[in-house]
Amino acid sequence: MTRLRAFGVVETPERPGPGPMPEPLLRALELSIGRRVDGLLAGDHRSSLLGRGSELAQVRPYVPGDDVRLIDWNVTARTREPHVRVQLAERVLVTWVVLDRTPSMDFGTADRRKADVALGVALALGHAASVRGNRVGLVPFGGGSSVPLPPRQGRAGLVGLLVALGDESSGGGVASELRPALTALGAVARQRSLVAVVSDFRGPRDWRPQIVDLAGHHDVLAVEIRDPREDHLVDVGEVWFSDPESGARLRVDTGDAGLRSRFAEAAALERRSVADDLASARASHIVLSTEGDWLGDLAAHLGGKRR
């Protein structure tokens, strides 16, 4: 039996979805994101840049080369000297979601799959970015949509995101791995933005230079998705393990206490290495689990960063 839950996401036993997304937490997330990128929200903060917009900054005498369409005829008539209107440039917050859709995201042994948490994060960030008329874009990699979703404003942006996220089975993504996806984003993200990279950060560890480059122009948030069984083995006897991306299989005796200890140490070392790479690249980093309240953890992290 299927159920419709948050944002119309269809849930099944195999794909339990992101779970409940309470409105108070979404509002808290909206406020946190709305203040994240140095007041880029049009209408909420005055822009420091002059250009095309809807809010008047000043009226000054006309100089050769000014756009004649900006002449203020009332002031010109009073002063008998041509004057032009100078407006504050409209600026909106753009949020880019770089979403991991590689096979390793299908893993999950707790409340849901890693892919379900990633879907929820993308929906929550998209809602928070679009609710005030700001823009949200999507860069998937490893599967799903075959093209990036350019930033769109308001409800249209959220609807477009929902459509793109609803297709988990179509062709390849923008890229097969994280590094080329980040490179593709860097080529199109010109305006300073919030870049949320939602991934388990498995696979090739060659993405740090791209994170460094993005962090030099944008506010980068790395959302790492983890499952408890990726950190600790439980004693269930002999089992077969399969790598979802390479297809390699290995028979393991989980009853071996020494093996379980070495596995936990190796997993902790790997995760520390990922955290160190993200920190040195100046990305904000949060780890979300397939177990428990991932949305509360995300809202608390962003709220704490704001403070």
Side-chain angles (χ1 to χ4, degrees):
M1 183 180 71
T2 63
R3 294 184 296 160
L4 294 178
R5 296 292 295 274
F7 296 97
V9 175
V10 178
E11 299 182 358
T12 67
E14 296 78 20
R15 296 180 175 179
M21 301 174 72
E23 189 65 27
L25 281 178
L26 289 176
R27 284 198 298 268
L29 195 64
E30 171 199 337
L31 292 173
S32 298
I33 292 179
R35 298 179 178 127
R36 182 93 183 173
V37 187
D38 295 341
L40 294 186
L41 290 176
D44 289 347
H45 301 273
R46 290 176 60 88
S47 170
S48 61
L49 300 182
L50 301 179
R52 294 190 178 275
S54 59
E55 186 176 353
L56 179 65
Q58 63 181 356
V59 177
R60 60 165 174 78
Y62 173 89
V63 295
D66 283 340
D67 189 342
V68 296
R69 292 173 296 180
L70 299 178
I71 293 178
D72 189 314
W73 294 107
N74 290 330
V75 176
T76 298
R78 288 198 305 269
T79 64
R80 298 188 178 184
E81 180 184 355
H83 280 70
V84 293
R85 297 167 60 91
V86 181
Q87 298 168 324
L88 290 173
E90 292 285 1
R91 305 184 70 182
V92 296
L93 172 66
V94 176
T95 297
W96 286 97
V97 179
V98 182
L99 185 64
D100 188 344
R101 304 186 96 163
T102 57
S104 66
M105 296 295 288
D106 286 330
F107 183 73
T109 63
D111 299 326
R112 50 191 50 88
R113 304 173 305 157
K114 291 187 289 183
D116 296 315
V117 177
L119 170 65
V121 171
L123 289 174
L125 293 177
H127 169 79
S130 63
V131 72
R132 293 187 182 184
N134 299 292
R135 294 188 290 163
V136 59
L138 177 69
V139 180
F141 68 96
S145 173
S146 59
V147 294
L149 178 71
R152 299 180 64 187
Q153 195 167 19
R155 183 174 178 80
L158 182 59
V159 171
L161 182 67
L162 283 170
V163 172
L165 292 175
D167 184 7
E168 288 192 20
S169 59
S170 65
V174 170
S176 59
E177 297 171 353
L178 178 55
R179 177 176 178 171
L182 296 175
T183 300
L185 173 59
V188 298
R190 299 302 182 185
Q191 177 182 334
R192 188 178 180 194
S193 311
L194 169 61
V195 175
V197 183
V198 187
S199 173
D200 58 5
F201 292 95
R202 294 195 171 275
R205 292 274 298 284
D206 54 0
W207 39 257
R208 184 182 175 280
Q210 282 66 38
I211 296 283
V212 170
D213 183 62
L214 286 170
H217 303 87
H218 309 282
D219 188 3
V220 179
L221 171 66
V223 182
E224 182 183 357
I225 314 297
R226 298 286 297 163
D227 185 88
R229 293 286 77 81
E230 292 179 313
D231 299 323
H232 302 282
L233 288 177
V234 293
D235 183 1
V236 291
E238 290 192 356
V239 295
W240 281 96
F241 285 85
S242 176
D243 186 326
E245 301 194 12
S246 69
R249 301 185 70 212
L250 178 68
R251 194 168 91 176
V252 175
D253 180 11
T254 60
D256 185 336
L259 173 65
R260 295 199 305 273
S261 176
R262 293 192 299 274
F263 179 90
E265 291 175 1
L269 178 61
E270 180 202 19
R271 293 303 95 189
R272 283 197 302 271
S273 181
V274 168
D276 289 343
D277 282 349
L278 291 171
S280 65
R282 294 181 295 147
S284 175
H285 179 212
I286 179 175
V287 178
L288 301 180
S289 176
T290 59
E291 183 177 44
D293 181 13
W294 63 266
L295 181 58
D297 292 340
L298 178 63
H301 173 82
L302 291 180
K305 281 291 182 182
R306 187 189 72 233
R307 289 192 294 271

